[in-house]
Amino acid sequence: MKLVLLGPPGAGKGTQSVVLSKQYKIPHISTGDILREAVKAGLPLGIKAKSFMDKGELVPDEVVTGIVVERLKKPDVQKGYILDGFPRTLKQAEDLDKALAGMSSGIDMAVYFETSVKTAIERLCGRRVCKSCGFNYHVKNIPPKKEGVCDKCGGVLFQRPDDNEKTVMNRLKVYEDQTKPLIAYYTKKGLLKKVSGDLGVNELFKVLSNTFSDAKIA
Ligand code: AP5
Ligand code: MG
């Protein structure tokens, strides 16, 4: 099952990817996570990406596409994968298609998490992430048992530096301008499936599972 998850920041792409990856035993490939790891490790990629990420701007296409294409050459993607947060521009989508065609492959479905701006803002401003294992919480929707502490590993929870109101507003604008055209791109290819990103985590997971089995890709 080769999936692209599309939708605004805060739509729940990362949250669903974690569950879907476990359920279908396919890797979750998040360009946001890869870039944040590179920033944390002080790698040249991270140094290059940080200034864009802090402002809520997109990291240049050639940088991000190169990372994904290399990742898709690894053996663990044979059964499928979930692309979370990539592609995010028409150029990325076209280059992804070209690279996959070169591997005699292609994606099976692009799932669009249609999400209201109100939901997105509320989710992003309340998100907390574990410093050790990366698990995502939400202060109201998905709170940890003990405030500020990860249920899974006991790690400290922190707020992503780009989850402040000013950067969130810019990320939403960048999404509207640069990523939303991908909905038409995948619709034209007959690959788009729309789901509601406003649903609760478990409800949305059920909708996704049914969508995949109806399309006979799971
Ligand atoms: P990235 O990390 O991809 O961030 P994003 O697209 O802004 O998306 P988010 O991770 O914020 O949202 P999400 O949909 O994953 O929501 P989540 O599940 O966490 O990118 C960060 C930056 O990296 C970009 O700004 C850019 O600079 C760079 N970058 C990355 N990819 C790039 C690319 N391809 N090209 C160029 N640059 C790139 O959920 C959010 C919150 O809501 C959490 O608190 C969660 O607990 C809660 N929640 C989730 N689902 C639900 C639900 N159903 N109900 C209630 N609460 C929920
Ligand atoms: Mg995410």
Side-chain angles (χ1 to χ4, degrees):
M1 184 161 64
K2 295 165 183 131
L3 298 177
V4 161
L5 302 192
L6 274 178
K13 305 180 296 294
T15 301
Q16 292 298 326
S17 293
V18 171
V19 195
L20 294 171
S21 165
K22 210 167 157 194
Q23 172 77 15
Y24 297 103
K25 299 185 177 58
I26 50 176
H28 166 206
I29 303 171
S30 155
T31 40
D33 287 349
I34 294 169
L35 294 169
R36 276 184 292 278
E37 281 299 316
V39 171
K40 202 167 143 191
L43 299 176
L45 166 66
I47 293 163
K48 198 168 182 179
K50 190 175 184 316
S51 60
F52 295 99
M53 296 173 81
D54 285 348
K55 285 184 280 196
E57 298 290 332
L58 295 182
V59 175
D61 288 337
E62 61 279 10
V63 175
V64 184
T65 304
I67 298 171
V68 176
V69 171
E70 282 312 302
R71 180 67 185 81
L72 293 177
K73 288 180 185 161
K74 297 213 170 144
D76 66 336
V77 303
Q78 290 302 324
K79 255 185 73 190
Y81 46 80
I82 305 162
L83 291 178
D84 161 17
F86 181 91
R88 245 172 153 105
T89 63
L90 280 173
K91 175 90 174 83
Q92 290 180 15
E94 286 161 2
D95 288 344
L96 172 67
D97 281 346
K98 276 184 214 150
L100 289 175
M103 300 177 208
S104 307
S105 183
I107 68 148
D108 298 319
M109 188 184 282
V111 188
Y112 167 41
F113 288 40
E114 190 178 39
T115 312
S116 68
V117 171
K118 185 172 167 279
T119 299
I121 295 174
E122 187 262 330
R123 287 195 189 155
L124 294 172
C125 294
R127 171 164 51 193
R128 297 293 181 272
V129 184
C130 174
K131 216 165 211 162
S132 308
C133 72
F135 194 81
N136 278 228
Y137 294 86
H138 187 277
V139 287
K140 272 199 227 133
N141 306 341
I142 307 160
K145 289 193 186 94
K146 190 173 169 204
E147 199 187 321
V149 181
C150 179
D151 294 347
K152 311 227 172 258
C153 74
V156 176
L157 303 187
F158 77 107
Q159 193 166 18
R160 256 171 58 173
D162 59 347
D163 278 348
N164 63 77
E165 209 180 318
K166 187 171 167 227
T167 312
V168 163
M169 295 318 287
N170 193 40
R171 283 161 62 200
L172 289 167
K173 185 177 180 309
V174 167
Y175 168 77
E176 285 291 323
D177 296 344
Q178 300 190 53
T179 309
K180 231 175 169 185
L182 294 184
I183 296 165
Y185 179 85
Y186 285 114
T187 302
K188 230 182 232 170
K189 288 181 175 282
L191 293 173
L192 196 91
K193 281 275 183 279
K194 190 158 75 172
V195 297
S196 170
D198 287 339
L199 295 175
V201 177
N202 296 333
E203 272 175 289
L204 181 50
F205 174 69
K206 271 187 210 143
V207 169
L208 289 169
S209 305
N210 290 337
T211 305
F212 302 148
S213 75
D214 288 351
K216 298 189 172 55
I217 60 166

Short mmCIF file of all heavy atoms in Angstrom, two decimals, residues 13-14 30 36 84 127 160, ligand 2:
data_model
loop_
_atom_site.label_atom_id
_atom_site.label_comp_id
_atom_site.label_asym_id
_atom_site.label_seq_id
_atom_site.Cartn_x
_atom_site.Cartn_y
_atom_site.Cartn_z
N LYS A 13 -2.05 14.04 10.09
CA LYS A 13 -1.31 13.14 9.19
C LYS A 13 -0.31 12.29 9.98
O LYS A 13 -0.24 11.08 9.81
CB LYS A 13 -0.56 13.94 8.11
CG LYS A 13 -1.44 14.88 7.30
CD LYS A 13 -0.64 15.64 6.25
CE LYS A 13 0.41 16.58 6.79
NZ LYS A 13 -0.10 17.72 7.57
N GLY A 14 0.45 12.96 10.83
CA GLY A 14 1.46 12.24 11.61
C GLY A 14 0.82 11.26 12.58
O GLY A 14 1.26 10.11 12.69
N SER A 30 8.16 10.56 7.11
CA SER A 30 7.73 11.95 7.32
C SER A 30 8.91 12.86 7.05
O SER A 30 9.94 12.79 7.74
CB SER A 30 7.25 12.12 8.77
OG SER A 30 7.39 13.46 9.19
N ARG A 36 13.61 17.42 11.18
CA ARG A 36 13.81 17.75 12.61
C ARG A 36 14.95 16.93 13.21
O ARG A 36 15.72 17.43 14.02
CB ARG A 36 12.51 17.54 13.40
CG ARG A 36 11.57 18.75 13.32
CD ARG A 36 10.34 18.57 14.19
NE ARG A 36 9.47 17.53 13.71
CZ ARG A 36 8.57 17.68 12.73
NH1 ARG A 36 8.40 18.85 12.16
NH2 ARG A 36 7.82 16.67 12.34
N ASP A 84 4.21 11.12 4.54
CA ASP A 84 3.52 12.10 5.39
C ASP A 84 4.22 13.45 5.24
O ASP A 84 5.38 13.60 5.65
CB ASP A 84 3.57 11.56 6.84
CG ASP A 84 3.33 12.63 7.91
OD1 ASP A 84 2.81 13.70 7.57
OD2 ASP A 84 3.67 12.35 9.08
N ARG A 127 -0.38 21.10 20.64
CA ARG A 127 0.44 19.89 20.48
C ARG A 127 1.64 19.89 21.43
O ARG A 127 2.28 20.91 21.65
CB ARG A 127 0.95 19.80 19.04
CG ARG A 127 1.99 18.68 18.88
CD ARG A 127 2.24 18.30 17.46
NE ARG A 127 2.53 19.43 16.61
CZ ARG A 127 2.55 19.36 15.28
NH1 ARG A 127 2.28 18.22 14.69
NH2 ARG A 127 2.81 20.42 14.57
N ARG A 160 6.76 22.12 19.75
CA ARG A 160 7.59 22.32 18.56
C ARG A 160 7.80 23.82 18.35
O ARG A 160 6.87 24.61 18.49
CB ARG A 160 6.88 21.73 17.33
CG ARG A 160 7.48 20.40 16.90
CD ARG A 160 6.66 19.72 15.85
NE ARG A 160 6.45 20.47 14.63
CZ ARG A 160 5.86 19.98 13.54
NH1 ARG A 160 5.45 18.72 13.54
NH2 ARG A 160 5.68 20.71 12.47
MG MG B 2 3.23 15.83 11.21
#
